[in-house]
Amino acid sequence: MPEIHIHREHHLGFTEARNVGLSWAEKAEKKFDMDCTYEEGDAQDTLYFSRAGVKGTLLVDARQLEMKAELGFLFGAFKARIEAEIGEQLDALLNAPHPAARKTAPAKKKAPAQDGAEHKTASRAPAKAAARKA
């Protein structure tokens, strides 16, 4: 059976790498009609994916992503194309802006009130990410 092996190192940390793994799983389910199961671990997550003619895993940790997949006979003829497309998808997800990487502008300081009263400012809570399908 033809096999695909894709390895990508990153500097995102485990939480953001997990988001990349979950994002890829969502895309694989929609675009390739894959059945995906995402198992979270303490130091490494494992995404299991399959469909007729393809089965594999995506290992996600704080420093790397590693995908291994076995292709059936019919998909074997397209191995290079499939491997290139998956590699491009992972590269795009790894290089996309991540919430933790965004920098916010420094808050403007207000001048103290002239009557000596202090102004209270409301702090904004960061927007919560939408729950992802596990």
Side-chain angles (χ1 to χ4, degrees), residues 8-85:
R8 297 291 190 268
E9 292 189 15
H10 63 80
H11 300 287
L12 299 175
F14 190 42
T15 302
E16 288 303 316
R18 176 176 281 164
N19 290 337
V20 168
L22 289 167
S23 293
W24 190 85
E26 288 175 4
K27 288 178 188 260
E29 287 176 333
K30 290 177 186 174
K31 188 170 182 173
F32 303 118
D33 197 29
M34 292 278 184
D35 292 321
C36 296
T37 304
Y38 198 92
E39 293 182 1
E40 295 182 352
D42 292 332
Q44 178 176 287
D45 292 352
T46 305
L47 167 65
Y48 298 95
F49 57 90
S50 65
R51 65 165 281 169
V54 180
K55 69 176 179 176
T57 58
L58 174 65
L59 302 176
V60 178
D61 68 32
R63 297 178 297 130
Q64 64 186 354
L65 299 176
E66 184 171 13
M67 178 179 285
K68 292 183 181 180
E70 292 180 358
L71 303 176
F73 177 73
L74 294 175
F75 285 108
F78 302 102
K79 176 188 173 205
R81 182 175 174 195
I82 293 169
E83 192 167 25
E85 185 169 342

